[in-house]
Amino acid sequence: KLEHLFESRSKEAPTSKKASDGKKVVVVLDPKRSNAINIGLTVLPPIHIIKTAVLNFDEFAVSKEGIEKILTMVPTEEEKQKIQEAQLANPDVPLGSAEQFLLSLSSISDLTARLQLWAFKLDYESLEQEIAEPLFDLKLGMEQLARNHTFKCILATLLAMGNFLNSSQSRGFELGYLEKVSEVKDTVHRQSLLYHLCQMVVEKFPETTDLYSEIASITHSAKVDFEELANSLVQLERRCRASWHNLKVIAKHETKPVLKTKLTEFLKDSTQRIIVLKVVHRRVLNRFHSFLLYLGYPASAARDVKVTSICKLLREFALEYRTCRERVLQQQKKRAAHRERSKTRGRLITETEKFSSIAEAVLPPAVVSSSPKEQMEAGHESMKIVLTSPTDITARRSRASQG
């Protein structure tokens, strides 16, 4: 009884099941694994095409997604052994589709090494771009901000306002204060300090812009997690090293010197580019820390400041400044239009400058006549000219249409 209870049952006997067409097939994989493989087979080419593509690194036969899918299907040694034993035990019964696929995959020499190297080869360009582009945006964003006239005017005006309100003579302020500018409000009209800042900048520096449209690279950098970017760079270097190891494994059984040379050249180029990328990453971060010193951060605090947090702060402030500036400009336009209307309010049309200039151009000079008859005729002629002038006709038509 004890022997029966504690006997080793690591090797399970293969079971026979009926396939969809009614024929019996040998199934040794657990249902979950078998279903996953069968689902994957629906999007993959036939096994003989896969085998040829893997041996030749033919990316036209199998896509990048297909390689990633095959990597999840690579059979373990235990699965391979079970399938082979089941095949020997049931030579007359065919294997299930999942078992047959795994058995065919296991016949490819150095399968895992080939797939991993192939996946790295296809992924490298996009992985490098995901690291290089944010670094370029950050570098460009710092240059844009350093030479931005509007940003300098905003900081100078805000510093002057702060010194005036606090009766101080500070030479600078923390950049984090930009987050609070929209929250501080005056006690009379309840307008934010940002609103008054926009008013002063627009009045004192009319050539300035909305700031947000001039720092596009900073807004792009605000969406990037630079700590994750550093991890991605480390992972890229690790995958490159692993690919060198995979190439050594493949080279032992690879009989095609052209393919071996091609893969070696690719890895040499990738290694060199990763070295350059690491140098660029280090230099851009050093430049960012120098940029923080330029903005007034103390050297002790600059090293601990996160790139993403500063970029987000600048992006949010620039967005708020643009919105507030548009409101200030709209109010200025309304006030200007109101002043123009106030100039002619309560005056007759004949008293306006426009009408008087037209009348002077149309009316002839007064004729001095001694007799009443001549004066009457001259007045009649003058009135006739006024009534028949094009300007008067247009004015009367416009009044008629309004009526």
Side-chain angles (χ1 to χ4, degrees):
K1 187 176 180 180
L2 288 174
E3 183 181 0
H4 173 71
L5 292 174
F6 292 97
E7 68 179 349
S8 177
R9 298 183 181 181
S10 59
K11 295 182 180 180
E12 297 179 359
T15 59
S16 296
K17 292 185 178 180
K18 287 188 177 181
S20 57
D21 56 358
K23 295 181 180 179
K24 285 187 177 182
V25 293
V26 177
V27 177
V28 296
L29 300 174
D30 64 85
K32 188 176 180 180
R33 170 75 164 158
S34 181
N35 287 336
I37 293 173
N38 286 324
I39 292 172
L41 288 175
T42 60
V43 296
L44 290 173
I47 183 60
H48 66 277
I49 295 178
I50 293 176
K51 186 173 182 178
T52 305
V54 171
L55 291 173
N56 297 322
F57 287 79
D58 185 1
E59 58 195 60
F60 297 103
V62 181
S63 64
K64 174 185 169 184
E65 292 75 16
I67 297 168
E68 293 173 351
K69 179 67 70 176
I70 296 171
L71 271 169
T72 64
M73 299 179 180
V74 174
T76 62
E77 286 297 324
E78 184 182 357
E79 288 175 339
K80 181 180 176 181
Q81 185 179 356
K82 282 183 178 181
I83 294 171
Q84 289 174 343
E85 290 176 355
Q87 191 178 34
L88 291 174
N90 301 275
D92 299 330
V93 183
L95 294 172
S97 57
E99 285 76 8
Q100 183 62 50
F101 180 75
L102 292 189
L103 188 63
S104 300
L105 281 182
S106 64
S107 65
I108 303 174
S109 61
D110 310 313
L111 175 63
T112 303
R114 288 177 180 274
L115 290 175
Q116 289 178 350
L117 176 54
W118 194 4
F120 176 72
K121 185 174 183 295
L122 295 179
D123 285 342
Y124 179 78
E125 290 293 337
S126 61
L127 293 174
E128 183 188 59
Q129 191 174 11
E130 289 174 2
I131 297 171
E133 283 189 356
L135 292 175
F136 177 76
D137 281 336
L138 179 59
K139 174 181 173 293
L140 186 61
M142 290 186 290
E143 293 173 355
Q144 289 174 348
L145 208 58
R147 63 171 181 261
N148 190 275
H149 175 65
T150 301
F151 187 61
K152 292 177 181 178
C153 293
I154 290 172
L155 294 183
T157 305
L158 186 58
L159 177 61
M161 292 173 68
N163 282 334
F164 175 77
L165 294 174
N166 297 320
S167 301
S168 61
Q169 294 295 326
S170 299
R171 298 179 60 187
F173 58 89
E174 290 186 8
L175 206 62
Y177 186 70
L178 294 177
E179 293 179 319
K180 304 176 183 178
V181 175
S182 59
E183 300 173 1
V184 179
K185 296 184 179 181
D186 65 68
T187 56
V188 180
H189 302 290
R190 305 302 297 170
Q191 294 285 5
S192 67
L193 184 59
L194 178 62
Y195 175 81
H196 297 290
L197 173 65
C198 290
Q199 271 192 328
M200 293 191 69
V201 172
V202 169
E203 290 174 4
K204 300 291 183 181
F205 310 100
E207 74 282 0
T208 55
T209 65
D210 64 353
L211 180 63
Y212 186 81
S213 60
E214 295 182 330
I215 57 170
S217 295
I218 290 290
T219 60
H220 294 161
S221 299
K223 302 174 184 177
V224 179
D225 186 344
F226 281 87
E227 292 183 354
E228 186 63 31
L229 184 141
N231 292 332
S232 298
L233 183 55
V234 172
Q235 292 298 326
L236 184 64
E237 187 178 15
R238 286 178 182 172
R239 287 188 65 180
C240 186
R241 289 176 180 172
S243 296
W244 276 110
H245 174 72
N246 290 330
L247 180 60
K248 290 179 181 178
V249 173
I250 295 169
K252 294 177 182 178
H253 305 95
E254 184 58 54
T255 58
K256 299 175 183 177
V258 176
L259 179 60
K260 193 188 304 183
T261 304
K262 183 179 178 182
L263 293 174
T264 303
E265 290 298 324
F266 161 72
L267 288 179
K268 283 182 179 179
D269 180 60
S270 301
T271 303
Q272 187 61 36
R273 288 164 70 172
I274 290 173
I275 292 172
V276 173
L277 198 58
K278 288 173 66 179
V279 173
V280 171
H281 178 256
R282 185 177 68 252
R283 289 183 178 178
V284 170
L285 289 186
N286 288 339
R287 184 173 295 188
F288 173 74
H289 294 137
S290 300
F291 182 66
L292 292 179
L293 298 179
Y294 165 76
L295 292 176
Y297 277 81
S300 57
R303 288 284 170 184
D304 299 327
V305 177
K306 306 297 183 184
V307 179
T308 307
S309 61
I310 290 295
C311 292
K312 282 183 178 179
L313 186 152
L314 293 171
R315 180 193 63 182
E316 295 301 323
F317 173 76
L319 190 59
E320 290 178 346
Y321 181 83
R322 182 183 69 174
T323 304
C324 190
R325 181 176 180 271
E326 289 175 354
R327 186 158 63 94
V328 169
L329 292 176
Q330 287 177 357
Q331 289 179 352
Q332 286 185 348
K333 288 181 181 179
K334 288 180 180 179
R335 288 169 185 164
H338 179 72
R339 284 195 297 269
E340 287 296 323
R341 289 195 301 270
S342 298
K343 289 180 181 179
T344 58
R345 185 172 295 168
R347 298 171 62 184
L348 296 175
I349 190 171
T350 54
E351 297 175 355
T352 60
E353 296 179 2
K354 184 177 180 180
F355 185 86
S356 60
S357 61
I358 294 173
E360 289 176 1
V362 173
L363 292 176
V367 179
V368 180
S369 176
S370 57
S371 65
K373 185 177 180 181
E374 290 178 353
Q375 290 180 0
M376 186 180 296
E377 290 178 356
H380 177 71
E381 289 296 327
S382 299
M383 185 60 67
K384 185 178 179 182
I385 292 171
V386 171
L387 293 175
T388 58
S389 64
T391 306
D392 189 65
I393 293 170
T394 306
R396 282 184 292 164
R397 284 179 179 173
S398 63
R399 290 195 195 98
S401 62
Q402 290 175 1

